Every structure is written in C-alpha cells, then in structure tokens.
Amino acid sequence: MLSVVNGDGTAETGSLIDDIVREGARRMLAAALEAEVNAYIAELSDQRDDHGRRLVVRNGYHQARKVTTAAGEVEVKAPRVNDKRVDAATGERKRFSSAILPPWCRKSPKISEVLPLLYLHGLSSGDFVPALEQFLGSSAGLSPATVTRLTAQWQADHQAFGERDLSGSDYVYVWADGIHLRIRLREGKTCVLVLMGVRTDGTKELIAMADGYRESADSWADLLRDCARRGMRAPVLAVGEAPWASGRLWPKCSPRPAIRGAGFTRSPTFANALPKSAQPGAKKALQEIYNVEDRDHALMAVTAFEKAYGAKWPKAVKKISDDVDELLGFYDFPAEHWIHLRTTNPIESTFATVRLRTKVTRAAGSAAAALAMVFKLVESAQTRWRAVNAPHLVALVRAGARFERGQLVERPEALAA
C-alpha cells in the first residue's frame, strides 16, 4: 500500500503510523485466513467423488467487508470454499466456517468487550461514535443499538447467576448489606440486597444479589430461602447491619443453621436513636468497643458506654447491650480476620464504583435492566477483589478450630503428640 505522506508525518487518511498498523493488521488477517482455508482443504484432500474429483476445493473469495479491530477498521476478503460433502445424518451440504472470522463477525471480540466496559463505567451510548470513531477509524458497530443488545445479554447473565447451583461452594464468612442506588427497581423504597462470601481458600465472591423492600426481614428471608434452595451451606459467621444478622432467620432458611455468632456494625441504626449533638461522642465510644485487643476489653468498653449514655438515652444503649454476644462475635475468630469482620466495608467499597455509574444512568429502563447493569459492574470488580488476610486460617475456621484472643488454640491431642 502506497501512502502520500505530508510534511508533518500524516497521511491522507490520518496518522502514518496508524495507517501502517492497520495495513499490517489487514495483511496478517488475510494471511491467517488463507492458512486456515489451506489447512482445511489439505485435511480433506482424500475426500473424492465417484469420478475421482475432490469434494473440497477453493472457490475464490467472498465480497470484501470491513471489520473493526483493536488496530482500527480493516478491509478483508475472506477465501471461499466449495464443500460438496453431504451430511449423512441430515442430508444437508457441509459448510466451511472460519474460526478466525465467522460470517457474522463485523468487529473483533476485544471491541465487543470494550463497549460494555465503557458503558458500565459512565460513557453514554450516544457518545460511543464521537468518542471512538477517531481511535477505530470507523463508527461501524458503535451504535446505541449495540448497547441495547448488550443489556439484553446482561439480563440473561444475571438470571443465570441467580439460578446457579450453590451446593459446590462453601462460604465460611458472609457479609450482607442493602445498597440504595439511583436506579429503577420495583418500588420506590426498594434497595439492592447483596450477599458476599469468603470461600475456604480466603477469596471473596459475590453470592447473591436481588432487590428487596427497605432491607426488611421478609426480603432477607426470601433471599436466604432461595440460597438455601440452591444448596448454600450456612456460614460460620454472618456480618451485616440487616435484621437477619443476628442469625434468627438462618434456622428457617438454611439446611445447616449452626452459626457461632454474628458481628455487625450498628452505627446507622444506633445513631438514629441519639440526638445529633451526642452522636460524635457516642460513635467514638462505639469504636472503642470494636477496636480493642480482645473480647474482655470490649466488654469493659460496653460497660463504660452504658454508664455514660444509659441514663439519658436508654433506647440507644439497649441496641448495644441486648446483642452484646452477637455484636462481639468476631472476637472468637482469627485476629487477622477482625479487620474484615468488624464492618460491611467489603460490600460498601465495591458499590462505591457502582454508584458512579448509576449516577450517570439515572434510570436503566426497567428493574431487570437496572439489576443486570449493577450485576455486571460487580462482576467486573470481582476480578480485583483481594483475599482476606491470612487466608490459610479460613479453612481452620470452617473445620471448627478454636481461637482465643484471636490466636489459634491447640487441641489437647495435638499438644500430646
């Protein structure tokens, strides 16, 4: 290919280096298609008719078509094959189909992956053409209709995720939280209920996601029943601010209800029971309960908290004192895991990026489309989640190992050995 180069190093179609890259991509694609067809014909060279003529031969080229790739738009003419063989089962003619460039392909899989990521991370579907045309050299395949087809696929992916079998997964720790987003759900006061778990190897994984009404106990019960129906085993520790976190719902919703405790932050509901003037000091006192070195010191902090606030705000103190055992449940687990088990931050931090996208979208058209978009965002973020600290201890927790002051307690038989 000859190009007229201007004095500033540009060609008639744009930058010279981009033209060279596109031409190189075109030639490599053409060579790969030729090699693929030649290998196909050579493999079937022994297939002949009654007159000794080959059944599989070359038959010129298909019409030229443009394909959008990571190197830009390239034009290619795919070789054509005349395959005269007949399928004995169906009676239909066999056809050659390129694995490199299928007949329907108009853009590379890489471009197909980029489009949903750009959309999910804030680029409006109407901005695809002006934003990407300069990079790809064409606006082909970048229409809003492309995103419409993608959202339909996302809904199918979300439905399949919500129906998958959970019997093969073992979640030792589970976080639960209700996330309020600016998306269109079934009712005005609904939120996204999220279950995230830690597997025995210490890795985090999204377990379930559904819309629920105000994080109510009934909404959580529905979600837990569905997880139990699909074979989910009850975790050792459940962490959450929702009503079910105390474990009262698990006996009804899980085939294995044994839970050693449930640690959860109470800051939002606790603060609502106090006047604003008292909230800063009370929150600091609450942090003293969570951040001390062991359960004994935490109980001392609870006693000090009751003395300081019990006389004036008994309802607020009751929210802590009535559930002390569950509130301090994380102290019975490895000290390395306390930082993860004190709060629902693993969910909150993940949905911080989701909120950025939903602020741009405002409305996703339907509840199914909204949840599907949120699911794909979380699925994308899941690849970057790091394992919990000391992941090797998670399997010991599931096995029933005992921890005191955050340290593993050796069993008597182990000490005797």
Side-chain angles (χ1 to χ4, degrees):
M1 180 187 71
L2 297 177
S3 297
V4 177
V5 182
N6 301 322
D8 58 357
T10 60
E12 293 179 352
T13 57
S15 170
L16 178 60
I17 189 173
D18 290 332
D19 284 347
I20 294 174
V21 170
R22 276 193 290 270
E23 177 62 14
R26 186 193 67 79
R27 292 184 180 183
M28 291 179 67
L29 178 58
L33 292 172
E34 288 283 353
E36 183 185 33
V37 167
N38 291 338
Y40 180 80
I41 294 175
E43 182 181 357
L44 301 172
S45 60
D46 60 334
Q47 301 287 321
R48 298 176 182 270
D49 61 15
D50 296 338
H51 302 285
R53 291 188 292 263
R54 289 186 177 184
L55 293 175
V56 183
V57 295
R58 282 288 300 269
N59 189 24
Y61 291 89
H62 292 283
Q63 290 186 350
R65 55 171 155 153
K66 294 180 179 180
V67 181
T68 303
T69 70
E73 187 182 61
V74 298
E75 186 177 271
V76 63
K77 295 178 67 175
R80 188 162 52 189
V81 176
N82 184 10
D83 195 336
K84 300 177 183 179
R85 295 175 302 152
V86 177
D87 191 320
T90 63
E92 297 180 354
R93 284 273 299 270
K94 294 186 178 181
R95 295 180 180 275
F96 166 76
S97 180
S98 173
I100 299 174
L101 187 67
W104 46 264
C105 182
R106 292 296 182 272
K107 58 179 177 293
S108 72
K110 198 68 176 178
I111 300 300
S112 298
E113 292 174 6
V114 168
L115 294 182
L117 287 177
L118 292 175
Y119 176 71
L120 288 172
H121 289 286
L123 187 65
S124 171
S125 58
D127 295 333
F128 278 172
V129 173
L132 298 181
E133 188 173 9
Q134 294 300 317
F135 290 99
L136 302 178
S138 170
S139 61
L142 305 179
S143 66
T146 303
V147 177
T148 301
R149 291 191 295 271
L150 288 171
T151 53
Q153 180 60 48
W154 296 341
Q155 291 182 45
D157 292 345
H158 179 228
Q159 182 177 358
F161 172 80
E163 296 174 354
R164 77 194 192 286
D165 182 22
L166 296 175
S167 60
S169 301
D170 186 7
Y171 303 106
V172 181
Y173 301 134
V174 167
W175 293 282
D177 203 1
I179 306 297
H180 297 266
L181 302 170
R182 295 182 180 180
I183 58 177
R184 183 181 300 172
L185 297 177
R186 290 180 299 182
E187 301 179 33
K189 295 181 180 180
T190 53
C191 62
V192 180
L193 305 180
V194 182
L195 282 182
M196 183 187 299
V198 177
R199 302 172 69 98
T200 53
D201 62 356
T203 57
K204 300 172 187 173
E205 184 176 281
L206 180 67
I207 303 174
M209 190 183 74
D211 57 334
Y213 183 74
R214 284 187 171 182
E215 300 186 63
S216 66
D218 290 338
S219 295
W220 280 112
D222 289 340
L223 183 60
L224 291 174
R225 289 190 190 100
D226 179 66
C227 291
R229 177 186 57 80
R230 292 187 281 132
M232 178 180 169
R233 182 183 181 184
V236 178
L237 181 70
V239 184
E241 297 170 4
W244 68 274
S246 65
R248 287 187 290 268
L249 293 180
W250 282 96
K252 296 184 293 184
C253 306
S254 175
R256 289 177 179 249
I259 299 179
R260 294 178 61 187
F264 50 95
T265 57
R266 288 296 187 102
S267 298
T269 55
F270 169 76
N272 292 335
L274 291 170
K276 290 185 177 180
S277 59
Q279 288 180 13
K283 286 182 179 180
K284 288 182 179 180
L286 192 63
Q287 290 174 359
E288 289 293 325
I289 300 173
Y290 290 115
N291 296 326
V292 293
E293 58 265 35
D294 55 40
R295 178 188 286 269
D296 293 339
H297 287 82
L299 291 173
M300 293 172 59
V302 170
T303 301
F305 179 83
E306 292 173 343
K307 290 181 179 179
Y309 295 93
K312 292 184 179 180
W313 301 287
K315 290 184 179 179
V317 173
K318 187 177 178 62
K319 291 179 179 292
I320 303 298
S321 58
D322 284 359
D323 295 314
V324 168
D325 289 339
E326 294 169 352
L327 183 66
L328 305 181
F330 67 91
Y331 281 115
D332 294 331
F333 295 86
E336 293 87 346
H337 297 169
W338 291 355
I339 190 173
H340 306 290
L341 304 178
R342 287 185 175 119
T343 68
T344 56
N345 281 344
I347 292 180
E348 282 292 341
S349 59
T350 295
F351 275 81
T353 58
V354 176
R355 286 191 175 94
L356 293 177
R357 174 56 197 158
T358 54
K359 285 181 180 179
V360 175
T361 305
R362 298 293 180 182
S366 68
L371 282 173
M373 184 182 71
V374 173
F375 166 70
K376 296 303 289 187
L377 280 169
V378 176
E379 185 183 54
S380 175
Q382 186 172 247
T383 60
R384 300 185 297 274
W385 291 349
R386 69 178 185 88
V388 297
N389 297 338
H392 63 283
L393 296 177
V394 179
L396 294 178
V397 172
R398 171 56 82 186
R402 191 162 60 91
F403 294 82
E404 290 184 0
R405 298 179 181 272
Q407 303 299 316
L408 178 65
V409 176
E410 298 291 344
R411 295 178 180 178
E413 57 269 22
L415 294 175

